Amino acid sequence: MNLDNASQTQADPPRWQRHDIPIQVLSPGPGPGPSLLAPGVPDQLLADGHRIGWLFRGALWTLIPGSSVTVLAAHQPIASAVPSRTRWLLHMEGSLWCGDPSTGQGHLLELDVLGQELQVRAGTSWVLITLPEGRMLLPTPGVPSTPQLPDGAMRSPSLAPWSAGAGVVWHDFDTIYLASGSHRPQVLGQVLNLEAFMTGPGGAAVFQSPHGSMAACPGGSLTALEETIDLETLRFSPDGNSALAATAGGTVEFNLDNGRILRLWRPELLPVGYAPSPVFFDEESGCLVDGSERTILQGLDLAGPSLHGDHVVGPGGAAWNMSSGERTWPFGRISGGLAVAMPDSVAHLGDEGGRLMDYAGQTRAHWNHPFQPDSVAWDVVQAIRDDAAGHDWPLQACWLGRNHDCVFTTLEGNVIVVDTATGKVSWRAEISPKADSEGWPQLLCHRGVALLRDSESSMLLPSMLRLPAPDEPVMATALSSDTLYMATASHLAALPISGKNTETNQGWKTDLPGIRLLVKARFLLAVQDDHLLLIDPENGEIHRRLPRLLDGHSRVLALGEDAFAAVTGPEEAPDLLLLDTESGSMAARWPIPADGAAMVVGPDGRQLWAWTEDGSLVKLPIENGDPSR
């Protein structure tokens, strides 16, 4: 450990503790075993010279080209990752993890013990932690202790560890310095008006200034690159002698020893890294490709997922038939926006308006955008999430069970019913001004009946009946074909929704505060105190309390007649469980991140299909789950 102004630093350095993370191995594409059918849209794409990796909120997925996919279920939000040939470092919320993503074996460094006001710059060998009272430079497990650096280095706000290897880079005014192991610091050269830089393995680095881009390879000196790069797209080779980056003229591979361009690709290919040759993300096709543009992995795309009968639509921008297990549309057939699966067709609302398609993937009809037909601010979902002011965006959709009528809710609180065969709007309302403290309006749908609920009222569609509000805040709701069930802190009520009678005719005193409800066959399924409860909707009594198998973060989804699926663990990346209805025993468990978008048992009763809001789609064989995890 190295501390600047150590006498003023009160915090004890945290220690790495052994911490293995559960993994799940999947085969890419359909097959009899656990399968990854669509990767979805990741937060970050990386490579370490051997594996390609991508991040979702609570998981690292890695692919060895031509081989299997490994899911590392971190169970915490992952802010970033640093890859190297031998290990990866994950920066998670309140901690760092360093280990082998292929096995899940590694070590955890808890950062919460240091307080909230800290900054972290991490490589796979050294970690720099900045606190209000000083700095810590810590080695990762198995790396010798860090050296004593000059005070000027420890005070420099630009001090950064190498991404791999034991060393740091910093600058003082316009001079760039490098230090490694027990060697004395050396001067790399000067960069006038330095704006930003990024470190690579073994002392490689690229520096950005108004005058252009400069680089150094391991053991080399500064040299100017032939083109100015976009620093955020920079990906180093494992040895640090070359790098990929986007430039104004396209995506380029540079020789970092002399700054010359080695190869040039079209601008739509964004650098991912090396595995072991260059790998790119093709924005146009939603695929990972190699340097010859041969496909490595498809399906890095999505539309809001939807399910009807045997059909799953949306993940990867494609459609699947659960009975056959096969993909029925090509990847990228739809992209962005929302999909709504119906008996004989699919409605898709995206940046270019709406269209109606059949399950062969053929377009039946086009229609204009029903919210903002003249808007041009629809093409980047993330930009709208970051700055939503003045824009509208479809958030939820469902089929109303008649013809091709679908209901959509939006970011701005608008609700419309659209005939997706013609694009005609039959009903429009604003039920909530944007999002309030309770979030956006909730849309529930079951067999053609839609319930639209915000923090103050509820409405049924297509009848558009206003529902009476309980005296207490509603904690949970569930919808069947003819009844709405609402749970408050002290009551469970049943509200008939068939016909025009919307008087609450049943209300039972309960001791189930905060339960979550789902309709399953002739029972209500609820969760309380980590137990699964079967409730008789005729009298509100608990029919069965299943053994305690879950934890306080558990959520449950009803599946077939003989089993429940539950997601348990932190909300960002829980495991999937399959529980037997009668005994409550665990039939299967998989460490697969599932943010709760949907899961269902396939028609054969032997496959669990799970898809997430990020667009990943996984198929798991129920009989092969591992209850011992």
Side-chain angles (χ1 to χ4, degrees):
M1 178 185 71
N2 191 331
L3 293 177
D4 180 39
N5 300 326
S7 61
Q8 299 179 30
T9 302
Q10 303 298 319
D12 293 328
R15 298 184 180 276
W16 292 94
Q17 303 291 334
R18 183 59 186 258
H19 182 82
D20 296 342
I21 296 178
I23 65 167
Q24 176 73 53
V25 179
L26 307 170
S27 62
S35 305
L36 174 65
L37 301 181
V41 180
D43 299 324
Q44 188 179 8
L45 282 161
L46 302 160
D48 64 6
H50 179 56
R51 293 164 293 216
I52 303 168
W54 58 95
L55 295 178
F56 288 127
R57 285 182 288 271
L60 169 66
W61 304 60
T62 55
L63 165 70
I64 299 174
S67 183
S68 58
V69 175
T70 300
V71 186
L72 188 83
H75 290 178
Q76 294 185 49
I78 302 175
S80 61
V82 182
S84 74
R85 282 173 168 169
T86 57
R87 58 170 119 185
W88 287 51
L89 187 135
L90 304 183
H91 188 181
M92 300 181 291
E93 190 174 90
S95 63
L96 300 173
W97 183 85
C98 188
D100 183 351
S102 297
T103 64
Q105 296 177 347
H107 292 77
L108 191 72
L109 185 72
E110 295 284 358
L111 301 177
D112 291 340
V113 297
L114 299 175
Q116 299 298 316
E117 297 183 10
L118 59 84
Q119 295 179 341
V120 176
R121 289 184 176 178
T124 58
S125 297
W126 288 355
V127 174
L128 177 68
I129 301 174
T130 302
L131 300 165
E133 63 269 25
R135 279 178 158 178
M136 300 176 180
L137 187 60
L138 307 176
T140 57
V143 176
S145 298
T146 56
Q148 184 72 32
L149 294 178
D151 288 347
M154 294 302 290
R155 286 195 298 266
S156 172
S158 65
L159 183 67
W162 300 350
S163 66
V168 290
V169 174
W170 74 95
H171 74 91
D172 191 357
F173 293 99
D174 294 329
T175 302
I176 308 298
Y177 297 90
L178 176 148
S180 62
S182 59
H183 298 90
R184 294 176 60 85
Q186 66 182 79
V187 175
L188 279 181
Q190 288 193 324
V191 178
L192 298 178
N193 304 316
L194 179 65
E195 296 175 332
F197 71 93
M198 185 178 295
T199 60
V206 174
F207 304 87
Q208 198 84 299
S209 77
H211 313 290
S213 302
M214 301 191 72
C217 66
S221 57
L222 282 178
T223 185
L225 298 181
E226 288 186 338
E227 295 283 346
T228 299
I229 70 165
D230 178 351
L231 197 62
E232 291 186 357
T233 67
L234 180 66
R235 299 293 188 269
F236 291 94
S237 65
D239 60 11
N241 290 320
S242 60
L244 305 167
T247 70
T251 295
V252 170
E253 184 178 25
F254 290 97
N255 182 325
L256 298 186
D257 184 35
N258 55 31
R260 293 178 181 173
I261 294 175
L262 299 175
R263 284 185 286 181
L264 174 67
W265 292 270
R266 55 189 175 90
E268 292 80 13
L269 299 184
L270 298 180
V272 172
Y274 293 79
S277 59
V279 176
F280 305 92
F281 172 55
D282 187 342
E283 289 186 300
E284 291 185 336
S285 65
C287 297
L288 295 179
V289 300
D290 62 16
S292 300
E293 298 196 32
R294 292 186 294 261
T295 298
I296 298 172
L297 184 68
Q298 296 177 289
L300 281 81
D301 204 343
L302 85 159
S306 183
L307 168 72
H308 185 87
D310 289 350
H311 300 287
V312 177
V313 182
W320 280 262
N321 184 293
M322 291 190 294
S323 292
S324 65
E326 297 297 322
R327 179 165 46 86
T328 56
W329 288 1
F331 285 113
R333 186 70 178 87
I334 54 178
S335 182
L338 290 176
V340 186
M342 295 177 281
D344 62 350
S345 56
V346 176
H348 175 243
L349 179 59
D351 56 352
E352 297 179 354
R355 55 179 165 165
L356 188 70
M357 308 169 67
D358 60 27
Y359 282 106
Q362 301 300 311
T363 299
R364 293 182 179 179
H366 283 280
W367 34 282
N368 292 329
H369 199 292
F371 300 120
Q372 293 177 306
D374 299 323
S375 172
V376 295
W378 272 68
D379 53 348
V380 182
V381 175
Q382 191 60 47
I384 294 178
R385 288 176 178 169
D386 293 341
D387 182 14
H391 304 312
D392 211 357
W393 185 259
L395 294 175
Q396 304 168 98
C398 70
W399 178 54
L400 283 182
R402 61 182 190 190
N403 302 322
H404 297 97
D405 284 353
C406 296
V407 58
F408 296 89
T409 68
T410 76
L411 187 73
E412 296 287 324
N414 293 309
V415 183
I416 65 169
V417 175
V418 180
D419 180 348
T420 56
T422 64
K424 181 180 178 181
V425 176
S426 59
W427 185 77
R428 182 190 301 265
E430 180 178 329
I431 70 162
S432 177
K434 295 188 181 180
D436 56 21
S437 60
E438 301 295 327
W440 284 282
Q442 180 185 22
L443 183 65
L444 301 175
C445 188
H446 184 78
R447 296 183 181 177
V449 178
L451 171 70
L452 195 63
R453 176 179 158 239
D454 62 12
S455 57
E456 297 179 354
S457 63
S458 298
M459 175 180 287
L460 284 176
L461 299 173
S463 62
M464 289 169 283
L465 290 175
R466 288 281 178 183
L467 303 181
D471 295 333
E472 300 174 304
V474 175
M475 309 293 292
T477 55
L479 187 65
S480 71
S481 299
D482 56 7
T483 306
L484 168 66
Y485 299 95
M486 294 183 290
T488 69
S490 62
H491 282 80
L492 176 63
L495 186 70
I497 57 176
S498 56
K500 297 183 178 181
N501 178 20
T502 58
E503 294 295 325
T504 303
N505 64 357
Q506 296 183 51
W508 309 288
K509 200 78 172 175
T510 71
D511 58 352
L512 306 174
I515 65 173
R516 296 177 291 278
L517 299 176
L518 285 159
V519 176
K520 182 191 182 297
R522 59 190 182 90
F523 294 112
L524 287 173
L525 177 66
V527 183
Q528 185 203 28
D529 296 334
D530 309 341
H531 288 272
L532 295 179
L533 307 176
L534 296 181
I535 299 175
D536 188 337
E538 295 298 324
N539 53 29
E541 294 181 355
I542 296 175
H543 174 76
R544 183 180 297 119
R545 184 187 295 266
L546 300 182
R548 180 172 181 146
L549 286 170
L550 310 178
D551 65 20
H553 297 280
S554 300
R555 301 181 306 284
V556 175
L557 295 176
L559 295 178
E561 293 302 310
D562 301 321
F564 298 113
V567 288
T568 185
E571 183 175 354
E572 294 78 14
D575 291 347
L576 298 187
L577 303 180
L578 195 73
L579 305 173
D580 181 79
T581 302
E582 293 301 319
S583 65
S585 61
M586 188 187 303
R589 179 168 187 162
W590 306 272
I592 294 291
D595 58 14
M599 65 180 79
V600 68
V601 169
D604 62 3
R606 298 194 300 267
Q607 302 287 343
L608 177 68
W609 294 65
W611 58 97
T612 73
E613 293 175 355
D614 297 304
S616 60
L617 177 63
V618 172
K619 181 165 65 72
L620 302 165
I622 292 172
E623 64 272 18
N624 292 336
D626 182 2
S628 64
R629 289 186 181 273

